[in-house]
């Protein structure tokens, strides 16, 4: 078993109602020979310099997140895609410690498979920005405003996807249009939706 990183201990001490579960997950992951680090405020487990797994907690569950979970076989059908926009990562969710105990050997199999996927250099085939449907309200603005279109096309693919996703979320056309209006200047300034 790899040793626990004292810099990560605070996370398990503050895990609240998920403390018991996250400690069990920590032990299982470290038994698989991964190194423990703190990234994005969560325990992250790496092989070499590559991220393999993250432990994180939510209100209703705690989870193991496999960074390249989409490439795992998932023979037990326990991996969950958080949202339709998550392309690579997959979670295994837990609502109690008993579930973790029951899945211990399967979790280790999945972790070892994830390590092998990384060692093999496999990559998730990510959708291109052009494959995402652009909301009509935004497309209309792009068609009418050459400067906006040029500025949008100059953004990084990640920023472009961020806007497309953000503008697509509301159900009402009026709300989608208001979002586009609000962020036009930010696009013209070369900034992302979160900048």
């Amino acid at each position: 078993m790899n040793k626990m990183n004292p810099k990560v201990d605070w996370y398990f001490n503050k895990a609240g109602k998920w403390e018991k579960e996250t400690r069990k997950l920590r032990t299982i992951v470290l038994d698989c020979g991964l190194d423990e680090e703190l990234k994005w405020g969560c325990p992250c487990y790496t092989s070499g310099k590559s991220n393999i797994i993250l432990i994180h907690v939510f209100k209703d569950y705690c989870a193991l997140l496999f960074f390249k979970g989409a490439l795992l076989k998932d023979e037990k059908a326990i991996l969950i895609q958080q949202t339709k926009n998550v392309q690579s990562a997959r979670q295994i969710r837990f609502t109690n410690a008993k579930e973790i105990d029951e899945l211990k050997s399967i979790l280790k199999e999945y972790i070892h498979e994830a390590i092998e996927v990384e060692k093999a250099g496999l990559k998730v085939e990510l959708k291109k920005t052009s494959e995402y449907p652009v909301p009509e309200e935004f497309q209309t603005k792009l068609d009418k405003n050459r400067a906006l279109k040029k500025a949008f096309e100059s953004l990084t693919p990640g920023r472009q996807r961020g806007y497309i996703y953000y503008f697509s979320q509301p159900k009402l056309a009026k709300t989608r249009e208001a979002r586009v209006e609000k962020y036009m200047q930010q696009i013209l300034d070369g900034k992302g939706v979160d900048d």
Side-chain angles (χ1 to χ4, degrees), residues 135 160-170 175-176 179-180 182-183 193-194:
Q160 289 176 8
R161 285 190 302 273
Y163 278 115
I164 290 170
Y165 176 66
Y166 184 67
F167 294 155
S168 299
Q169 283 178 320
T175 311
R176 289 191 300 270
R179 282 190 177 187
V180 171
K182 181 179 177 184
Y183 281 90
V193 75
D194 296 325

Side-chain angles (χ1 to χ4, degrees), residues 40-189:
W40 308 285
C42 296
C44 183
Y45 299 87
T46 61
S47 178
K49 299 239 183 268
S50 301
N51 299 326
I52 307 293
I53 297 170
L54 190 78
I55 294 175
H56 54 170
V57 298
F58 297 88
K59 186 174 137 204
D60 298 325
Y61 64 90
C62 64
L64 272 186
L65 178 126
F66 291 79
F67 284 92
K68 292 184 178 178
L71 297 176
L72 301 181
K73 292 181 198 116
D74 193 21
E75 291 168 353
K76 303 293 183 191
I78 56 176
L79 292 174
I80 296 170
Q81 184 176 2
Q82 283 175 274
T83 69
K84 64 181 173 106
N85 293 305
V86 174
Q87 296 185 61
S88 181
R90 297 293 183 271
Q91 290 179 329
I92 301 176
R93 296 177 180 175
F94 305 96
T95 56
N96 61 62
K98 187 174 180 240
E99 292 173 329
I100 296 168
D101 291 336
E102 290 169 358
L103 286 175
K104 184 176 180 177
S105 62
I106 293 166
L107 293 176
K108 286 186 176 188
E109 287 174 27
Y110 275 57
I111 294 166
H112 287 296
E113 183 185 351
I115 294 167
E116 291 308 311
V117 161
E118 194 56 49
K119 282 182 183 172
L122 301 179
K123 300 213 182 302
V124 175
E125 194 72 33
L126 299 176
K127 277 171 65 174
K128 293 180 175 50
T129 302
S130 59
E131 295 176 63
Y132 287 89
V134 176
E136 184 182 331
E137 298 78 7
F138 186 44
Q139 189 61 56
T140 302
K141 294 285 185 195
L142 292 173
D143 293 343
K144 290 181 179 176
N145 186 330
R146 289 172 110 171
L148 181 67
K149 183 174 173 131
K150 185 176 181 190
F152 181 72
E153 289 171 351
S154 298
L155 295 173
T156 64
R159 284 183 169 168
Q160 289 176 8
R161 285 190 302 273
Y163 278 115
I164 290 170
Y165 176 66
Y166 184 67
F167 294 155
S168 299
Q169 283 178 320
K171 291 188 181 0
L172 296 175
K174 184 171 86 172
T175 311
R176 289 191 300 270
E177 201 164 313
R179 282 190 177 187
V180 171
E181 286 289 334
K182 181 179 177 184
Y183 281 90
M184 283 175 55
Q185 188 59 51
Q186 200 153 322
I187 293 169
L188 289 166
D189 292 342

